[in-house]
């Protein structure tokens, strides 16, 4: 299943009437979105995008994104 389809499936389950199940789905949604973010950051770095540009796209500081992903085997920082 494609990542976006999985995110949509999980998000759809948040609309249920069972609050506890919705909370559990929310936890799963957070986890899956973090995984997708890591994949996209890796792809962006492989395409030559800088940490600064990736951070801008995610609405965070360059330092925050580099701290989060810089040690995960992604290509070294480009200036």
């Amino acid at each position: 299943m494609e990542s976006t389809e999985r995110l949509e499936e999980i998000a759809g389950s948040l609309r249920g009437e069972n609050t506890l199940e919705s909370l559990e789905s929310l936890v799963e949604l957070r986890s899956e979105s973090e995984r997708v973010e890591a994949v996209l950051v890796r792809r962006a770095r492989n395409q030559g995008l800088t940490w600064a540009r990736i951070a801008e796209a995610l609405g965070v500081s360059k330092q925050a994104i580099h701290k989060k992903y810089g040690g995960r085997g992604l290509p070294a920082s480009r200036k």
Side-chain angles (χ1 to χ4, degrees):
M1 177 178 292
E2 192 175 319
S3 296
T4 55
E5 291 172 354
R6 181 67 185 133
L7 289 171
E8 289 172 2
E9 178 186 318
I10 298 167
S13 65
L14 293 173
R15 296 185 193 98
E17 292 187 27
N18 184 316
T19 303
L20 187 56
E21 286 178 7
S22 293
L23 288 169
E24 291 168 347
S25 293
L26 181 60
V27 170
E28 186 178 359
L29 182 62
R30 283 183 189 147
S31 176
E32 183 65 13
S33 63
E34 284 289 320
R35 188 191 68 74
V36 171
E37 180 180 287
V39 168
L40 292 174
V41 168
R42 183 178 310 109
R43 186 180 304 161
R45 291 296 293 157
N46 287 337
Q47 292 173 355
L49 293 171
T50 64
W51 288 115
R53 182 62 190 101
I54 295 166
E56 181 183 330
L58 291 172
V60 299
S61 71
K62 175 184 167 185
Q63 292 78 11
I65 201 69
H66 189 267
K67 181 178 179 180
K68 186 172 183 178
Y69 295 108
R72 292 193 175 184
L74 296 170
S77 179
R78 296 180 179 113
K79 294 183 181 181

